[in-house]
């Protein structure tokens, strides 16, 4: 029994346009044979043309899909959407377990409509919010910052969840709204806040 020439596998290296052209040529060949525009064909020729057309057709489709995904990375968009959905659910599920201190911080930001603040590098009293991803470090690469004033922000998707559940953050106004002091406004996320701050 003769062993097939392995060189036919070189077609796997062909571009999508080349495999599409071969598939179209095989289709036309079979169509012309059906219309009797060609001399009668042996059965093996018809089978070979059909198999080659199918193989090349699927290779062309796979190549075109791969090229399209480079321009329109749908899989990346889907993964990003799934990641955001999970992050929102995690924040929503954590809200009932927030301490009053953390709720004061969130209540202050919601009341002030303030998505950004500066804090110590460890997050200060907002450290657990930082570890939960409710706030994130918002410094840009190359930005000069001090360890006591690191910019932090609430990501947009988290902010949407906090706004939707703002009823959970209705803390006493005197505790939630930190008043201004002689040395500036002290905030609930600062470790160094005076004892009289809420």
């Amino acid at each position: 029994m003769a062993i097939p020439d392995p060189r036919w596998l070189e077609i796997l290296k062909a571009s999508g346009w080349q495999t599409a052209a071969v598939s179209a040529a095989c289709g036309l060949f079979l169509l012309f044979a059906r219309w009797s525009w060609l001399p009668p064909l042996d059965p093996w020729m018809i089978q070979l043309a059909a198999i080659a057309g199918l193989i090349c057709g699927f290779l062309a489709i796979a190549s075109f899909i791969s090229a399209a995904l480079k321009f329109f990375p749908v899989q990346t968009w889907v993964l990003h959407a799934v990641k955001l959905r999970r992050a929102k659910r995690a924040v929503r599920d954590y809200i009932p377990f927030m301490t009053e201190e953390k709720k004061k911080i969130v209540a202050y930001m919601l009341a002030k409509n303030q998505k950004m603040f500066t804090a110590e590098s460890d997050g200060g009293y907002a450290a657990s919010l930082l570890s939960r991803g409710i706030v994130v470090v918002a410094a840009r690469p190359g930005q000069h910052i001090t360890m006591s004033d690191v910019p932090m922000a609430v990501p947009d998707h988290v902010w949407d969840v906090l706004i939707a559940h703002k009823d959970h953050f209705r803390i006493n106004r005197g505790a939630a709204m930190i008043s201004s002091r002689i040395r500036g406004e002290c905030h609930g996320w600062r470790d160094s806040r005076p004892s009289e701050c809420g």
Side-chain angles (χ1 to χ4, degrees), residues 60-79:
I61 291 170
S63 179
F64 294 147
I65 290 174
S66 177
L69 289 177
K70 289 180 181 178
F71 289 101
F72 306 102
V74 177
Q75 72 279 13
T76 303
W77 299 339
V78 170
L79 289 175

Side-chain angles (χ1 to χ4, degrees), residues 29-30 41-51:
F29 179 78
L30 292 173
L41 301 175
D42 292 334
W44 69 268
M45 296 175 72
I46 295 174
Q47 293 172 357
L48 181 62
I51 292 172

Side-chain angles (χ1 to χ4, degrees), residues 115-121 130 134-145 149-156:
K115 294 172 68 173
M116 292 193 71
F117 62 91
T118 57
E120 292 87 356
S121 60
L130 184 65
I134 295 173
V135 295
V136 296
V137 174
R140 290 176 174 267
Q143 179 179 353
H144 296 287
I145 59 175
D149 281 310
V150 178
M152 300 191 181
V154 179
D156 292 340

Side-chain angles (χ1 to χ4, degrees), residues 32-44:
F32 291 165
R34 183 176 180 84
W35 290 343
S36 299
W37 291 6
L38 296 173
L41 301 175
D42 292 334
W44 69 268

Side-chain angles (χ1 to χ4, degrees), residues 16-103:
W17 294 110
Q18 290 172 325
T19 52
V22 173
S23 181
C26 291
L28 286 174
F29 179 78
L30 292 173
L31 191 61
F32 291 165
R34 183 176 180 84
W35 290 343
S36 299
W37 291 6
L38 296 173
L41 301 175
D42 292 334
W44 69 268
M45 296 175 72
I46 295 174
Q47 293 172 357
L48 181 62
I51 292 172
L54 282 173
I55 292 174
C56 290
F58 279 109
L59 287 174
I61 291 170
S63 179
F64 294 147
I65 290 174
S66 177
L69 289 177
K70 289 180 181 178
F71 289 101
F72 306 102
V74 177
Q75 72 279 13
T76 303
W77 299 339
V78 170
L79 289 175
H80 181 67
V82 169
K83 183 178 178 182
L84 284 183
R85 187 174 178 180
R86 287 179 179 169
K88 284 184 174 184
R89 185 173 62 238
V91 172
R92 187 172 58 248
D93 292 346
Y94 176 62
I95 288 174
F97 302 100
M98 279 187 185
T99 64
E100 291 303 306
E101 189 172 60
K102 303 307 178 278
K103 286 184 178 181

